[in-house]
């Protein structure tokens, strides 16, 4: 009863009750997700942010605060201490740690459960013909024979199953978004992963009426089928957002795997999230590359972090941990440094790249996204706002990096354009926005959203 718990599943009245407990000084410790950073302690002494690199610390809707920034502010104004933990800190935190005068880097020398770091092996997929390399299959056999477990990690971004017309090249896109529909075999539907639109699969090309059409790509379901064919006598389970929509299913799979009732676990990003599985000796990363092509300055950082986090699932309690990374780009820095497990070397070179290209943590960004139903209007408003910003920006030391369609130019029927601002000084971005947004009012039907320090630019 001495702890307050704050998370998004609380009802408003439950939340109020927890807040009152804190305010009245009945509890001395609050545990919670992002918004717990606002816990109304009057004598705050210590803030701990675990897995500091997680994107979920930044709010996805207005106000788009980042818990780390709120923590830093509270630390300064309320005299509290701040401890942040991560095996792969964000570049922002890493820079603070290596250059900051008020920040001390504390390094854990041993793994929590005493296991030693797994050995990491790379397979160059340019020399392989199947989705699963001969090396990975051989290691899986060895691991399963020893009655140990295997995790196969599928980078979600790369696993989609699309419609394709072999006659005219037509691809089936969501009518409301500028993205291809993903085919879900089991449910026999085409789904848009951005707006939830669903359609029946087609067997005739909607454009040229050809029947020479196919569904291709990597689907997690397809991977499951292949693995079942390779290891017919072993118990296999899949952990991803599609298979875990049934309530309680997620916990069931995790428990079954922990207790050894499942031999091979196929999972997407979920398996990277700090779960501990004592019997896992082998982690296979099926498609390490698939995050690299995303048009975002953080794609290297994300790929590296994901590979290190996933690799960390192997051999947490034993000495036989092994990781096999399948890649077409073994020399890409994010992949090469993850293979070496050289966290510092990756950060050092990534910081150089960020400094040279003028991206965070050496600059502050603001992403202004305009959206609306009428494309011409969104475009002309983007031009108008851009001109306005240009009028102020030079004098204030702010640069307009981009003023064009978003990489995802249409979501749920709304056309999206963005203006990306950058400055060496964060206060300059603030001042520019304060002046420009006072002078700019979007017309009806146009929505403007301002994202300071955006985590992604899609
Ligand atoms: Zn066609
Ligand atoms: Zn859609």
């Amino acid at each position: 009863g001495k702890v307050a718990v704050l998370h998004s599943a609380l009802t408003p009245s439950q939340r109020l009750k927890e807040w009152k407990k804190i305010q009245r000084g009945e509890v001395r410790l609050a545990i919670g997700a992002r918004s717990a950073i606002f816990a109304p302690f009057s004598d705050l002494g210590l803030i701990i942010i675990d897995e500091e690199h997680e994107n979920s610390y930044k709010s996805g809707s207005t106000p788009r605060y980042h818990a780390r920034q709120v923590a830093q502010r509270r630390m300064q104004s309320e005299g509290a201490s701040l401890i942040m933990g991560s095996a792969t800190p964000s570049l922002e935190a890493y820079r603070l740690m290596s250059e900051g005068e008020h920040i001390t880097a504390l390094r854990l020398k041993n793994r929590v459960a005493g296991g030693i770091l797994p050995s990491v092996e790379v397979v160059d997929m340019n020399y392989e013909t199947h989705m699963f390399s001969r090396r990975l299959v051989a290691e899986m056999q060895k691991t399963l024979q020893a009655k140990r477990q295997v995790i196969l990690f599928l980078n979600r971004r790369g696993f989609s199953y699309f419609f394709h017309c072999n006659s005219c090249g037509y691809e089936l896109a969501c009518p409301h978004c500028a993205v291809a529909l993903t085919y879900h075999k089991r449910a026999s539907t085409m789904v848009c992963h951005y707006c939830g639109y669903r359609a029946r699969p087609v067997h005739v090309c909607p454009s040229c009426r050809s029947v020479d059409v196919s569904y291709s790509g990597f689907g997690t379901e397809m991977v499951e089928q292949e693995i079942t064919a390779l290891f017919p006598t072993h118990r296999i389970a899949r952990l991803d957002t599609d298979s875990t929509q049934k309530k309680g299913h997620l916990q069931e799979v995790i428990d079954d795997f922990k207790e050894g009732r499942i031999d091979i676990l196929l999972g997407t990003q979920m398996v990277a999230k700090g779960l501990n599985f004592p019997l896992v000796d082998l982690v296979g990363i099926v498609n390490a590359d698939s995050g690299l092509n995303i048009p975002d300055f953080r794609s290297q950082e994300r790929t590296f972090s994901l590979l290190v986090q996933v690799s960390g699932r192997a051999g947490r309690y034993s000495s036989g941990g092994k990781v096999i990374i399948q890649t077409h780009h073994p020399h890409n820095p994010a992949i090469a440094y993850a293979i070496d497990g050289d966290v510092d070397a990756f950060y050092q070179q990534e910081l150089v790249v960020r400094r040279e290209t003028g991206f965070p943590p050496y600059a502050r960004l603001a992403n202004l996204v305009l959206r609306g139903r009428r494309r011409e209007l969104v475009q002309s408003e983007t031009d108008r706002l851009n001109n306005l910003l240009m009028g102020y920006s030079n004098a204030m030391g702010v640069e307009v990096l981009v003023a064009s369609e978003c990489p995802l130019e249409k979501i749920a029927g709304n056309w999206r354009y963005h203006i990306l601002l950058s400055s060496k000084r964060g206060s300059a971005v603030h001042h520019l926005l304060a002046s420009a947004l006072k002078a700019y009012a979007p017309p009806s039907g146009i929505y403007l959203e301002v994202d300071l320090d955006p985590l992604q630019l899609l």
Side-chain angles (χ1 to χ4, degrees):
K2 287 282 180 226
V3 177
V5 180
L6 300 162
H7 55 79
S8 57
L10 296 180
T11 64
S13 70
Q14 286 171 325
R15 178 173 289 262
L16 183 65
K17 215 175 117 203
E18 295 297 297
W19 275 61
K20 287 253 164 81
K21 278 201 280 185
I22 298 169
Q23 251 174 352
R24 287 195 294 257
E26 289 166 21
V27 296
R28 314 208 32 89
L29 173 65
I31 298 176
R34 182 177 58 232
S35 65
I37 197 63
F38 296 110
F41 284 111
S42 56
D43 51 352
L44 186 64
L46 176 65
I47 304 170
I48 298 174
I49 300 183
D50 195 21
E51 305 291 349
E52 170 276 334
H53 62 280
E54 283 284 340
N55 281 350
S56 53
Y57 281 123
K58 166 117 191 212
S59 169
S61 52
T62 314
R64 290 172 172 266
Y65 65 93
H66 196 299
R68 180 182 60 240
Q69 290 172 340
V70 178
Q72 282 174 293
R73 175 54 69 92
R74 289 196 73 170
M75 182 181 82
Q76 282 156 7
S77 64
E78 299 173 46
S81 302
L82 170 62
I83 296 178
M84 299 190 283
S86 174
T88 54
S90 64
L91 265 118
E92 282 78 0
Y94 188 85
R95 187 191 171 201
L96 285 174
M97 197 166 79
S98 47
E99 298 175 10
E101 288 151 34
H102 309 291
I103 294 210
T104 317
L106 304 167
R107 286 167 195 274
L108 295 180
K109 300 225 164 47
N110 300 306
R111 302 188 89 187
V112 173
I116 60 165
L117 284 171
S119 70
V120 182
E121 220 180 281
V122 64
V123 176
D124 186 340
M125 293 304 279
N126 294 307
Y127 302 105
E128 296 287 329
T129 48
H130 289 94
M131 187 193 316
F132 300 104
S133 61
R134 291 157 291 176
R135 190 78 192 97
L136 179 56
V137 172
E139 279 301 324
M140 286 179 73
Q141 279 160 347
K142 212 169 97 188
T143 306
L144 294 169
Q145 258 160 27
K147 302 266 177 265
R148 306 287 292 181
Q149 290 172 312
V150 177
I151 289 178
L152 289 181
F153 175 72
L154 318 168
N155 195 346
R156 182 176 52 214
R157 305 261 199 186
F159 279 86
S160 295
Y161 210 39
F162 300 116
F163 170 89
H164 182 83
C165 171
N166 298 320
S167 300
C168 75
Y170 185 84
E171 286 176 350
L172 211 54
C174 173
H176 311 296
C177 310
V179 295
L181 293 175
T182 302
Y183 178 51
H184 289 250
K185 195 173 178 187
R186 194 169 297 172
S188 190
T189 45
M190 306 286 295
V191 181
C192 170
H193 284 180
Y194 284 90
C195 75
Y197 171 85
R198 277 162 194 275
R200 291 181 159 284
V202 294
H203 304 286
V204 175
C205 173
S207 174
C208 75
R209 299 276 126 207
S210 165
V211 291
D212 184 15
V213 299
S214 56
Y215 288 88
S216 58
F218 277 146
T220 47
E221 288 179 12
M222 196 172 85
V223 174
E224 191 176 3
Q225 282 171 10
E226 293 243 342
I227 285 296
T228 310
L230 281 167
F231 299 95
T233 59
H234 287 94
R235 296 157 297 179
I236 299 161
R238 188 157 60 92
L239 198 62
D240 60 30
T241 38
D242 295 325
S243 68
T244 50
Q245 276 169 3
K246 246 192 302 162
K247 229 183 162 188
H249 178 72
L250 171 70
Q251 196 54 47
E252 206 178 295
V253 171
I254 290 173
D255 290 344
D256 281 351
F257 193 57
K258 225 173 225 173
E259 322 248 306
R261 289 189 291 272
I262 293 169
D263 303 309
I264 304 170
L265 182 66
L266 300 173
T268 54
Q269 263 68 353
M270 270 182 188
V271 300
K273 296 222 181 285
L275 297 168
N276 275 319
F277 299 114
L279 302 173
V280 171
D281 269 2
L282 177 66
V283 170
I285 296 172
V286 180
N287 59 337
D289 309 334
S290 51
L292 291 174
N293 299 323
I294 295 163
D296 191 310
F297 68 94
R298 286 187 212 271
S299 65
Q300 289 279 327
E301 177 185 355
R302 293 234 171 86
T303 298
F304 176 80
S305 166
L306 198 57
L307 294 180
V308 172
Q309 297 284 343
V310 174
S311 301
R313 302 303 118 208
R316 283 180 91 83
Y317 296 82
S318 68
S319 57
K322 183 162 222 141
V323 179
I324 293 187
I325 298 180
Q326 300 194 146
T327 174
H328 285 97
H329 306 283
H331 303 298
N332 178 290
I335 289 171
Y337 287 120
I339 292 164
D340 295 342
D342 198 340
V343 175
D344 287 300
F346 172 77
Y347 283 104
Q348 301 293 354
Q349 69 86 32
E350 184 66 11
L351 281 177
V352 171
V353 173
R354 297 285 181 88
R355 194 204 303 264
E356 282 172 358
T357 51
F359 273 98
Y362 295 101
R364 295 287 293 275
L365 301 181
N367 197 29
L368 283 62
V369 178
L370 293 104
R371 64 186 155 84
R373 301 257 151 197
R374 285 176 46 213
R375 182 173 203 164
E376 315 75 61
L377 186 59
V378 181
Q379 190 167 10
S380 63
E381 282 305 306
T382 305
D383 291 342
R384 188 161 79 88
L385 180 56
N386 188 27
N387 286 334
L388 195 70
L389 290 165
M390 296 283 230
Y392 295 96
S393 59
N394 275 342
M396 289 183 163
V398 178
E399 208 182 330
V400 178
L401 296 180
V402 178
S404 68
E405 307 92 336
C406 296
L408 274 168
E409 61 179 359
K410 193 182 174 200
I411 293 181
N414 281 297
W415 291 96
R416 306 168 73 243
Y417 278 65
H418 71 143
I419 300 173
L420 185 62
L421 304 173
S422 163
S423 176
K424 297 251 180 305
R425 288 179 302 119
S427 57
V429 176
H430 283 266
H431 288 141
L432 172 65
L433 288 175
S435 313
L437 295 182
K438 220 179 279 168
Y440 175 80
S444 90
I446 296 289
Y447 300 89
L448 170 65
E449 202 172 346
V450 178
D451 188 2
L452 268 174
D453 304 316
L455 286 185
Q456 47 104 355
L457 303 174
L458 294 178

